[in-house]
Amino acid sequence: MNKKCTVIIVLLLLVIGGGVYKFIFQGSVSESTDGRIAIHLNGGERDLVLGEMRMFLENVQQIIIGVNENDMARIAESARIVGRAAQAAVPGTLLGKLPAEFKALGFDTHSKFDELASNAEQFGDPAYSLRLLSDLMNNCVSCHAAYKINTPATGL
Ligand code: HEC
């Protein structure tokens, strides 16, 4: 193989590698004024992420009601709603904008809700469900401390 060919191949690999890095690891981000990482999303993508967030909040409340009323079925059902199955078919374009660590934290949070649901079904101990909930809420706290969403003004 001649030298020119090698140089072109190396350059192409660098471009592809950069694209893969950006798509899988870095996402579409910048540093924000409050020290968090701002993820740049369009309006529809932001609505999708925030809709998922409100589902989290709603079902956290339902789980706490379940704990207070010793209602294991309510705990399990609510936790399942925000388990892995709830990860709506996230479009590839949105996935590419989310940093890898953000995706990992999100996935882990859904998985922990599934664990909470299974545990509630199998062991029926509300105090333990509450302990699992407070543990998994470390994910909510640490993700909110690290990331925010920026959306270009639409005038709406
Ligand atoms: C993987 C990261 C991540 C995890 C995990 C996460 N959030 Fe969020 N959440 C965000 C981001 C980013 C925002 C937007 C914050 C901003 O722009 O200031 C947000 C916003 C919200 C909002 C505001 C919704 C709205 O309509 O404005 C609520 C409520 C919320 N999250 C609840 C939760 C709860 C409860 C949990 C845990 C069960 C949780 N989130 C876990 C990243 C996360």
Side-chain angles (χ1 to χ4, degrees), residues 6 13 19-21 30 34 46 53 55 60 66 71-72 77 100 104-105 108 115 123 127 134 137 141 147 154:
T6 315
L13 285 177
V20 168
Y21 173 78
S30 65
D34 62 9
R46 179 171 185 266
M53 293 298 151
M55 292 262 293
V60 163
D71 183 346
M72 298 313 297
E77 275 162 30
L105 256 176
D108 186 60
E115 282 164 33
F123 301 109
S134 70
M137 286 191 81
V141 173
Y147 297 101
T154 57

Side-chain angles (χ1 to χ4, degrees), residues 8-119:
I8 289 174
I9 288 174
V10 168
L11 281 178
L12 276 177
L13 285 177
L14 281 177
V15 169
I16 292 169
V20 168
Y21 173 78
K22 182 150 175 39
F23 190 81
I24 296 181
F25 293 104
Q26 193 188 12
S28 173
V29 296
S30 65
E31 194 160 322
S32 145
T33 46
D34 62 9
R36 293 188 287 172
I37 295 169
I39 305 173
H40 301 271
L41 302 181
N42 66 35
E45 293 162 341
R46 179 171 185 266
D47 290 347
L48 201 141
V49 174
L50 293 183
E52 199 174 290
M53 293 298 151
R54 294 192 297 278
M55 292 262 293
F56 274 153
L57 182 61
E58 203 178 310
N59 286 287
V60 163
Q61 184 204 27
Q62 290 301 317
I63 292 169
I64 294 171
I65 294 173
V67 168
N68 284 337
E69 296 179 352
N70 210 357
D71 183 346
M72 298 313 297
R74 188 169 195 163
I75 295 174
E77 275 162 30
S78 312
R80 244 352 138 199
I81 292 173
V82 279
R84 275 188 299 263
Q87 269 176 319
V90 180
T93 42
L94 172 54
L95 275 182
K97 292 180 181 177
L98 302 175
E101 200 201 349
F102 184 97
K103 282 182 277 214
L105 256 176
F107 189 74
D108 186 60
T109 308
H110 286 292
S111 299
K112 287 197 156 93
F113 274 113
D114 272 334
E115 282 164 33
L116 198 160
S118 302
N119 186 280

